[in-house]
Amino acid sequence: MSQSDPRPYLWMLCGAFSFSVMAVLAEDLTRTRPGGAPLCDWQTMAVFRAALVALFAAALAKHAGAKLVWLRPGRLWVRSVAGSCSMVGTFYAFGNLPANDVVTLTNTFPLWVALISWPLYGEAPGMRVVIAIAVGIAGVVLVEQPHFEAGRLAVFAALAAAVFTAVAMLGLNRLRDIDPRAVVVHFSVVATVFCAGAFFLTPRQQPVTRVLEFGVMARLIGMGVAATAGQVFLTLAFGRGAPAKVSVVGLTQIVFVMGLCACAFGRGVDEVAAAGTALVIAPTAWLLSRPRASKAEEVKNT
């Protein structure tokens, strides 16, 4: 595909928007209504998100004739387990933080890729990378300063999800010989098991029977459809476009979520949080678009 072909970047924009819709639906399901309770617990939401994507992805893989892979190679399990841990942490954060904050925190994973690559590949981060990471951390502090006391555990859960995402992304470059749809199916099935474990092992406040309510079920299905569409667009974008440029376009998810939350929940943009978001986006985009390809950056080339 030609380097000037805009389709991969349009696909990434569509993917970022789809994941943004999923994030806003997640907040809508778990936020407390005035004088009431949330529609759904984060554990129930996570199970439906993982299971629906597994079903949709398996149907797409079967339609395309993609060969599914289960037991081997072992690196596929590393990707799926790390991604599953990331999903559990992300949905716990969705249950306790605004969606725009969760998306900002989880999109710091390129900063963690740069750090994790040091012990794994022996690539010590240079001074510019250290400065970029420091700026990103400062942005996180500004974004989350209202939540460090009330939602401290959720903040750390979202950051842990970003670290697990970094681990998962570091393994993707070694799965090029496996059909991407098979990778998605494997990850989604493993994630369903992890989310089911969280469902049974952690306390819940809302009865699971609430999923039978039309409004709750419609939101859950919408979340699953949005997540599946986002995954398909993401796979198309990374398969046909320059990985670094596609990754930078993916950061528009942060902006999309802020706009959707403003429309859906009437949430204004806090100036301090907006400045923090900019401090997170800028060094992350810079790390993703550096011209010299390194092991850390090649993880996106899948």
Side-chain angles (χ1 to χ4, degrees), residues 91-118:
F91 276 89
Y92 175 81
F94 274 133
N96 295 275
L97 292 173
N100 48 302
D101 289 358
V102 176
V103 170
T104 299
L105 291 173
T106 53
N107 271 282
T108 61
F109 73 87
L111 305 179
W112 302 112
V113 167
L115 282 177
I116 295 173
S117 295
W118 188 0

Side-chain angles (χ1 to χ4, degrees), residues 19 39 48 52 64 192 199 203 229 298:
F19 282 125
L39 295 176
F48 269 81
L52 286 174
T192 301
F199 179 88
E298 287 172 0

Side-chain angles (χ1 to χ4, degrees), residues 25-302:
L25 285 172
E27 177 174 348
D28 191 39
L29 281 164
T30 56
R31 69 189 181 97
T32 302
R33 266 64 179 173
L39 295 176
C40 189
D41 287 315
W42 68 267
Q43 300 96 321
T44 304
M45 185 171 63
V47 170
F48 269 81
R49 190 275 193 217
L52 286 174
V53 173
L55 290 173
F56 295 151
L60 290 172
K62 182 178 180 181
H63 178 74
K67 180 182 178 181
L68 299 183
V69 182
W70 297 109
L71 297 179
R72 298 180 187 278
R75 57 184 177 271
L76 180 62
W77 283 94
V78 174
R79 184 265 181 272
S80 293
V81 170
S84 299
C85 292
S86 175
M87 184 180 293
V88 172
T90 298
F91 276 89
Y92 175 81
F94 274 133
N96 295 275
L97 292 173
N100 48 302
D101 289 358
V102 176
V103 170
T104 299
L105 291 173
T106 53
N107 271 282
T108 61
F109 73 87
L111 305 179
W112 302 112
V113 167
L115 282 177
I116 295 173
S117 295
W118 188 0
L120 287 183
Y121 300 121
E123 290 188 357
M127 182 55 65
R128 292 183 179 181
V129 175
V130 171
I131 293 173
I133 292 171
V135 171
I137 291 173
V140 168
V141 172
L142 289 179
V143 169
E144 296 308 315
Q145 41 84 27
H147 307 297
F148 274 125
E149 289 302 323
R152 181 182 300 175
L153 183 57
V155 172
F156 291 136
L159 289 174
V163 175
F164 280 118
T165 297
V167 173
M169 297 305 289
L170 281 167
L172 276 178
N173 68 319
R174 298 183 179 182
L175 297 174
R176 296 175 185 173
D177 55 336
I178 301 176
D179 190 292
R181 285 161 292 209
V183 175
V184 174
V185 172
H186 190 278
F187 158 60
S188 298
V189 171
V190 174
T192 301
V193 175
F194 272 67
C195 292
F199 179 88
F200 288 110
L201 296 177
T202 57
R204 289 173 283 109
Q205 297 179 343
Q206 300 302 313
V208 71
T209 52
R210 292 210 66 179
V211 301
L212 299 177
E213 297 176 15
F214 176 79
V216 176
M217 181 59 73
R219 288 172 173 84
L220 288 170
I221 293 175
M223 190 176 64
V225 171
T228 305
Q231 191 66 58
V232 170
F233 281 125
L234 184 112
T235 302
L236 286 171
F238 277 108
R240 305 293 180 88
K245 293 180 180 179
V246 167
S247 298
V248 174
V249 173
L251 293 175
T252 56
Q253 182 185 0
I254 298 174
V255 179
F256 283 142
V257 171
M258 292 178 68
L260 289 173
C261 285
C263 295
F265 310 127
R267 181 180 301 147
V269 179
D270 178 82
E271 293 180 358
V272 175
T277 300
L279 290 179
V280 170
I281 292 175
T284 302
W286 180 80
L287 282 177
L288 289 170
S289 59
R290 283 187 298 161
R292 186 181 69 85
S294 65
K295 289 284 187 182
E297 291 160 330
E298 287 172 0
V299 301
K300 302 299 293 185
N301 191 20
T302 58

